[in-house]
Amino acid sequence: MEDEEKPRSDDVNIEEAERKVQELYNFRDTYFETHGIEQACDKNSLVEEKMKEILSILDYIHASAEDTARCLYLRGKALNIKPEFDQAAQDALSKAVKLVPKMVEAWNALGECYWKKGDMAAAKNCFSGALSHSRNKDSLRNLSMVLRQLGGDISEKGENIQRSVSMAKEAVSLDISDGMSWYILGNAYLSQFFNGTQSPQVLKQCMSAYSQAENDPRTASNPDLHFNRAMAYKYQEEYGKCIQDLKKAVMFDPGFTECNEQKNKLLRYLMHTLELVRGKGKLKPKRLQSLVQSQGESELGPYAGGCYTSPKGVSVKLEQVSVSQLVGGINDGKVVLGRMVGSVPMDDPLPYTFAMVDSQGICLPVTVYNMNMTSGFMVGDSVAIPEPFLQVTDFTEDDKTFKFESIRVDSPVVLVVNKKKLGKSQLAPSVLSVTAKKE
C-alpha cells in the first residue's frame, strides 16, 4: 500500500501555521513526557530541527494582506524558541507590532527577544505595552522578571522587587494551574527575601511556590527551577535537598555545568567542615586544653547574668548552657559560649563558617550569615551566641556520610566576641546566586 500523499507546504494556511508553531512549543515544553531522560542531550537539537521544519512551512503560507502581521509574528515566535538572541526574530516581531500595535502576543515575544539581548529597558516597554492592551499572564510574569533586573539604587531596586511580586501574584491568579507563573512567583519571593529583612515567612512562600510549579509537568522539567530551589535549600542548610535538586537540574539539562560546580563546591565545603570539627582545628593538645579551661562567665560580656534583646525587640533573660544541652531548632532563653579553633576555607562568601569548642571540649561548626567578609575571628577568640539555632545535617552522597550538628547565626550583631558585642560594621547583606537566564 502506497503512503498517503503528504500535504505540500504551499497548501498550508495561516490557521495551520499557527497550529504548527504551537506544536513546536508544546514539543519543547513537554519533551520529557514523550522522551526518556537518557535523551536529554538530544532535546535542543531536536527542538531546533523541528523549528527549521516550521520555518520552511512559514515560507509558503497562503495568507491575505491583512494577515501579514500575523505571519511575521509566527516567524518571530518560531525563531524565538532558541535560547539565545536571534536578530531575525527581533526584526520579524518589530515589523509585526508596527503593523498591528495591539497584537499582545507579538509584544510579548518581542520583549523576550530584548531580554535575551540584554536590553531590559526595551523588554520592559514591550511587556508594559502589552499589558496596556490586555492583562495577561505572559506579560505579567515577564514584567515581573524584568523588574527584578532594574533599579539604580537600593531603594529603587527594592520597590521594583515589590512590584515584581505583585505582578507574579496576579499572573498566578489568572491561571493557578500554570507552573511557569508559580515558578516566576517563587523567584520573585526569593529576590524579596534577600533584598528585605530575610523574613522566614517570605522564604516559606518562595518554597511553596516552587512546589506548586513542580506540580505542572511542563515546569517540573525546567532545570532552572531545580537550580534556584537548590540555592534556597543551600541557604537553609538543607544540604541533602540542595544536592538532589542540583542533580535534577543536570538530569534535565546535561549542559548545565554550573550545577556540577555548585555541587562540588558544597561537598568540598562540607568535607572541610567535618575535618575542622573532627580535628578541633588541629590544635596541639596543650593549646586546646588551655582554650577549653579558660571559659568563665565573664567571657559572656553583656550577656553575663544580664538580659538580651532579641531581633524581634523582646527582652530575654539568658541562661548559659553547654553545647550538649542544646536541642534542635531555636533554643529560647539560652546562651552558649566557646572559643574559636579555626575557620573553613570558602569557595563562596556565604556563610562565614568557623568551629568553636565549649568548656566540655565539644567542638561544632558555627555558620554566620550577613557578615562582612573583611571581618572574621582569630583562633582563641571567645564567642557567645544567644538563643542559638541548632541545625542537624544528615545525608549521604557519593558514598560519604555527612552527619553533624551546627549552630546557625543569621546576623553577626547578636554575637559577643571577646566580651564585646559586635556592631553594625560587621554586617553585609547575603547575596544568593540564581540563574541569570530568562526564567
Side-chain angles (χ1 to χ4, degrees), residues 13 65 81 244 325 329 373:
N13 58 29
I81 201 166
Q244 290 307 308
Q325 293 175 285
M373 287 299 104

Side-chain angles (χ1 to χ4, degrees), residues 114-338:
Y114 282 122
W115 171 285
K116 295 173 186 177
K117 192 177 183 179
D119 190 342
M120 297 300 162
K124 179 186 176 184
N125 289 337
C126 290
F127 301 136
S128 297
L131 286 171
S132 69
H133 298 299
S134 169
R135 301 300 287 186
N136 65 93
K137 64 182 181 181
D138 292 324
S139 300
L140 285 164
R141 65 193 185 200
N142 281 332
L143 188 54
S144 172
M145 291 186 295
V146 169
L147 285 170
R148 297 199 300 276
Q149 309 301 316
L150 300 174
D153 54 36
I154 294 177
S155 175
E156 185 181 6
K157 191 168 183 63
E159 291 176 3
N160 283 341
I161 289 174
Q162 294 300 323
R163 290 177 58 203
S164 169
V165 172
S166 297
M167 294 285 180
K169 283 183 176 179
E170 186 177 350
V172 167
S173 71
L174 293 177
D175 184 357
I176 61 172
S177 66
D178 192 320
M180 180 56 71
S181 297
W182 282 108
Y183 167 56
I184 300 302
L185 179 58
N187 288 349
Y189 278 134
L190 194 60
S191 295
Q192 182 184 35
F193 176 80
F194 281 97
N195 189 73
T197 57
Q198 298 189 8
S199 162
Q201 180 59 30
V202 172
L203 193 56
K204 183 178 179 180
Q205 290 172 309
C206 164
M207 302 305 273
S208 176
Y210 284 155
S211 293
Q212 290 285 352
E214 200 173 19
N215 289 333
D216 185 342
R218 291 170 177 259
T219 322
S221 60
N222 182 348
D224 294 334
L225 163 64
H226 298 289
F227 178 85
N228 288 350
R229 187 169 63 180
M231 295 299 95
Y233 276 136
K234 178 183 174 185
Y235 181 83
Q236 291 179 304
E237 298 187 17
E238 295 187 61
Y239 299 124
K241 291 181 179 180
C242 169
I243 287 176
Q244 290 307 308
D245 257 336
L246 289 174
K247 289 163 73 173
K248 280 185 180 179
V250 173
M251 181 176 69
F252 291 122
D253 182 2
F256 203 160
T257 57
E258 188 177 355
C259 295
N260 286 326
E261 293 170 3
Q262 288 287 342
K263 175 189 169 185
N264 292 335
K265 278 184 181 180
L266 178 55
L267 291 176
R268 280 199 304 271
Y269 163 74
L270 294 173
M271 285 300 298
H272 288 149
T273 299
L274 285 174
E275 291 169 2
L276 177 66
V277 172
R278 289 169 180 169
K280 296 185 178 180
K282 296 184 179 179
L283 298 181
K284 293 182 179 180
K286 187 175 181 180
R287 169 72 164 145
L288 181 63
Q289 187 65 20
S290 174
L291 294 181
V292 169
Q293 293 178 344
S294 60
Q295 298 185 37
E297 185 181 1
S298 64
E299 300 296 329
L300 293 174
Y303 297 151
C307 287
Y308 157 69
T309 302
S310 73
K312 296 181 180 180
V314 178
S315 183
V316 179
K317 182 75 172 179
L318 294 175
E319 173 192 1
Q320 184 181 356
V321 297
S322 65
V323 167
S324 63
Q325 293 175 285
L326 297 179
V327 296
I330 190 167
N331 288 260
D332 294 317
K334 310 297 182 184
V335 59
V336 292
L337 177 67

Side-chain angles (χ1 to χ4, degrees), residues 360-410:
Q360 293 183 344
I362 298 174
C363 186
L364 86 171
V366 179
T367 54
V368 186
Y369 292 80
N370 300 297
M371 184 165 173
N372 188 332
M373 287 299 104
T374 61
S375 304
F377 310 142
M378 302 290 291
V379 172
D381 285 350
S382 65
V383 182
I385 307 172
E387 300 199 310
F389 186 95
L390 189 71
Q391 193 105 355
V392 178
T393 295
D394 186 1
F395 73 98
T396 300
E397 181 65 25
D398 295 339
D399 296 324
K400 294 185 179 70
T401 298
F402 298 90
K403 186 174 183 179
F404 59 90
E405 293 180 335
S406 60
I407 293 177
R408 178 193 179 99
V409 180
D410 286 327

Side-chain angles (χ1 to χ4, degrees), residues 24 43-53 81-82 84:
L24 171 63
K43 180 180 178 181
N44 289 340
S45 61
L46 290 175
V47 169
E48 186 168 353
E49 182 180 314
K50 200 167 186 67
M51 177 199 72
K52 290 177 179 177
E53 292 176 6
I81 201 166
K82 293 189 286 188
E84 69 277 3

